[in-house]
Amino acid sequence: MQNEHIDNHLMLPIGAGLQMGKYRIDRYLASGGFGNTYVVTNTQFDEQFALKEFFMRGISHRESDQTTVSVSNSDNAQQFTQQRDKFKKEARRLRKLRNEHIVQVHDLFDENGTAYYIMDLIDGEALSARIKRTGKPLDEQEATAILTQVLDALDTVHQQGIWHLDLKPGNIMVDGTGRAVLIDFGASKQMSSGDGMTTTTTAMAYTPGYAPTEQIDQTLELIGPWTDLYALGATLYHLLTTNRPPRVSEVQESGAFTFPTAVSAKMRHLVRWLMQPSRQKRPQSVAEVRTFLSEPFVEPPVVEEDDDTIVEVDVAVTDDTVGKVGLDSHSQASKPVASSSARRWVIAAVVLGVLAGIGLMFTLQKKETPVIIENADGVATASGMYFKSSLGTGAYTGPVNEKNEPNGQGVLNFENGDVYTGKFVNGQLTDDAAEIRFANGERYNGKIDNGHFTYGTYTFTEGDTFVGTFRADNLPDKGTWK
């Protein structure tokens, strides 16, 4: 979805020259909320590089000469200037970082009313693209090889007092030789040498699932190496499983982490350690992680519960269900307790009792063959119903009206992998607090009216965010970029 919203007239023309012909635009690579990336040739040496151009989506536009960048609304001029300065600061930071696993910046200049920097062109693929292309996790040996290289990059970054703050599969490139390269320092922060506080007061962008509490809460004084190491754990989990990393609020829940059987106990332990919600319980430095990897792993002992251990089973029970499973309860909201040896049977009996009580039997269904169930209150609910909306076609699960149209709080899983979660009004996606998760990692949270974004927050894969109003074509209109 990211590149589908970018029109060709917003790009520099192929063949255009920069720096008096020193660089020639060869082809377009990608776009984000704050810039466009191209492949260019240094005509003096006939060498190819990547060129990043500062261009704020929804705020910048291209003049009639197809090269000059200006601001669509004068009210946004100050914001454009501030973000352009941040863009140049990112280039200067990268320039100082000398490591084969960090993308190298070679040039920085102003032209066409905006800023550009030249960096290495990596002949490879982002790990997020690879997972999406193959649909398969990396084996542990390859994941470990990438992990050690990223640790090497982070060591260099942290020694300079810089925190990357957007480590994720999309920001790790792997070339044909297996070399991993850390890219995109747009969210990074530099620590001052005096008081240890960050040198900038701009808000921290972050990617849900890869950001710990201190980053989400924008608590600058609590940011440190452990913040990037949390994201490293989330990245490692995604590479080993292809699963979305659990959010901070979920990591301590039962079943938050699900690993393939081939993943070793040592690697599972490392992921959980890196993703501890408390920053003080995570590794505090790259050195700690390296030490862990180099030493033999002794799995922590599992504390077995004896038959006298009382375990609370979090299942709501009705009076009818209590009768079926033989539990002594008279409250609809009561929770049964069971000994360790019997708790699984109690849970199974409760579930079976509930199903028997309402006379239902569930089977796997194709999306073209929906299951529509009417409960005791006369409310009909669809499961996997094939539905065509203004944003696309997919499988709908949730309440329906008398015409079997989505009507109420539900979920629509689009055929392309996007997911809408929110309210429907007689078949229309209409909600004041909806969420759309796009297959490429981008996300919209906010108000949606008949399938159109009106006011909310759009988070791009790079972690950039736009908060404000949207045009009829769902592009950002007026608001704030972070």
Side-chain angles (χ1 to χ4, degrees):
M1 170 164 177
Q2 181 177 337
N3 295 342
E4 292 174 0
H5 287 322
I6 300 295
D7 297 328
N8 288 333
H9 74 275
L10 298 181
M11 302 294 105
L12 282 169
I14 302 302
L18 294 168
Q19 290 288 278
M20 299 181 66
K22 180 179 179 181
Y23 300 108
R24 182 187 68 237
I25 304 295
D26 291 341
R27 59 188 170 91
Y28 162 73
L29 271 182
S31 292
F34 285 89
N36 305 318
T37 306
Y38 311 84
V39 175
V40 299
T41 293
N42 182 316
T43 57
Q44 294 177 337
F45 298 102
D46 195 27
E47 296 175 340
Q48 282 197 320
F49 295 91
L51 169 78
K52 194 167 183 180
E53 174 189 46
F54 179 70
F55 193 99
M56 293 183 71
R57 193 188 303 187
I59 288 181
S60 304
H61 74 273
R62 197 81 63 183
E63 296 287 353
S64 58
D65 62 6
Q66 295 186 294
T67 56
T68 303
V69 174
S70 60
V71 180
S72 306
N73 189 325
S74 59
D75 293 341
N76 296 321
Q78 182 178 359
Q79 186 180 10
F80 177 87
T81 301
Q82 291 174 342
Q83 293 297 332
R84 184 182 59 193
D85 291 343
K86 181 183 175 184
F87 174 89
K88 294 163 72 172
K89 186 181 292 184
E90 172 191 351
R92 295 188 184 102
R93 277 189 197 137
L94 276 170
R95 176 74 175 175
K96 296 177 182 177
L97 301 174
R98 302 287 177 169
N99 186 293
E100 64 174 329
H101 302 298
I102 299 173
V103 65
Q104 182 64 50
V105 168
H106 301 281
D107 201 357
L108 171 67
F109 55 90
D110 291 310
E111 195 167 340
N112 299 329
T114 188
Y116 301 87
Y117 66 78
I118 299 289
M119 57 185 170
D120 291 335
L121 176 64
I122 303 168
D123 185 14
E125 184 178 35
L127 288 173
S128 58
R130 172 177 169 175
I131 295 292
K132 184 176 180 180
R133 174 176 57 82
T134 65
K136 298 178 180 179
L138 275 62
D139 64 55
E140 186 168 326
Q141 183 177 2
E142 185 176 7
T144 301
I146 290 172
L147 170 63
T148 56
Q149 295 179 72
V150 175
L151 284 170
D152 190 52
L154 285 179
D155 193 28
T156 297
V157 172
H158 293 170
Q159 285 183 26
Q160 293 293 323
I162 298 173
W163 322 133
H164 187 278
L165 302 183
D166 199 21
L167 182 60
K168 57 187 177 182
N171 285 339
I172 301 172
M173 299 284 292
V174 178
D175 66 16
T177 68
R179 179 177 66 111
V181 182
L182 185 59
I183 65 171
D184 199 342
F185 281 67
S188 64
K189 297 291 182 184
Q190 175 98 46
M191 304 302 288
S192 68
S193 58
D195 57 10
M197 298 289 284
T198 54
T199 59
T200 177
T201 58
T202 56
M204 286 181 284
Y206 64 88
T207 302
Y210 295 88
T213 303
E214 66 269 19
Q215 188 174 356
I216 295 172
D217 292 345
Q218 306 286 300
T219 314
L220 298 179
E221 64 271 18
L222 301 183
I223 297 295
W226 46 86
T227 307
D228 281 340
L229 293 176
Y230 181 98
L232 180 62
T235 297
L236 190 57
Y237 178 70
H238 182 67
L239 297 181
L240 291 167
T241 67
T242 74
N243 296 335
R244 175 187 67 83
R247 298 183 182 227
V248 178
S249 60
E250 302 170 333
V251 295
Q252 290 186 317
E253 296 178 1
S254 175
F257 297 96
T258 304
F259 294 92
T261 55
V263 177
S264 68
K266 182 174 184 176
M267 192 60 70
R268 298 179 191 212
H269 180 83
L270 176 59
V271 169
R272 291 189 175 98
W273 183 30
L274 290 167
M275 293 189 69
Q276 283 289 324
S278 170
R279 70 186 188 284
Q280 296 170 328
K281 293 181 180 180
R282 293 175 224 144
Q284 299 297 290
S285 66
V286 167
E288 281 191 49
V289 182
R290 283 174 166 166
T291 299
F292 173 84
L293 290 172
S294 65
E295 294 178 343
F297 176 67
V298 179
E299 191 168 3
V302 177
V303 179
E304 296 289 348
E305 298 169 341
D306 57 34
D307 288 345
D308 294 327
T309 303
I310 301 300
V311 181
E312 191 172 85
V313 184
D314 190 11
V315 180
V317 184
T318 65
D319 289 339
D320 289 340
T321 303
V322 171
K324 289 181 176 63
V325 298
L327 298 173
D328 184 14
S329 173
H330 301 287
S331 169
Q332 190 171 15
S334 65
K335 296 177 181 178
V337 293
S339 69
S340 174
S341 59
R343 58 183 175 177
R344 291 185 180 178
W345 294 106
V346 171
I347 295 172
V350 170
V351 173
L352 290 173
V354 171
L355 293 179
I358 59 177
L360 297 177
M361 181 171 66
F362 291 93
T363 56
L364 292 174
Q365 301 285 336
K366 294 182 179 180
K367 65 182 180 183
E368 292 86 355
T369 310
V371 177
I372 299 179
I373 303 165
E374 186 172 316
N375 64 19
D377 297 326
V379 178
T381 302
S383 177
M385 181 175 72
Y386 191 72
F387 177 70
K388 186 175 182 180
S389 75
S390 54
L391 289 180
T393 303
Y396 169 76
T397 298
V400 295
N401 60 18
E402 62 278 1
K403 297 180 180 179
N404 288 338
E405 298 171 326
N407 194 47
Q409 186 73 26
V411 177
L412 181 58
N413 289 280
F414 295 96
E415 291 178 327
N416 64 356
D418 300 344
V419 180
Y420 169 86
T421 304
K423 293 180 181 178
F424 295 75
V425 178
N426 295 326
Q428 302 295 339
L429 289 69
T430 300
D431 193 358
D432 289 339
E435 177 179 76
I436 300 180
R437 290 183 173 274
F438 299 98
N440 67 348
E442 296 182 351
R443 188 178 77 258
Y444 173 77
N445 294 87
K447 188 173 183 180
I448 190 166
D449 185 13
N450 194 15
H452 295 290
F453 306 165
T454 55
Y455 183 88
T457 300
Y458 196 102
T459 305
F460 299 93
T461 52
E462 300 90 345
D464 306 337
T465 60
F466 170 80
V467 181
T469 59
F470 292 77
R471 301 184 336 209
D473 56 3
N474 289 341
L475 278 173
D477 186 16
K478 297 179 181 178
T480 302
W481 291 83
K482 296 181 181 179

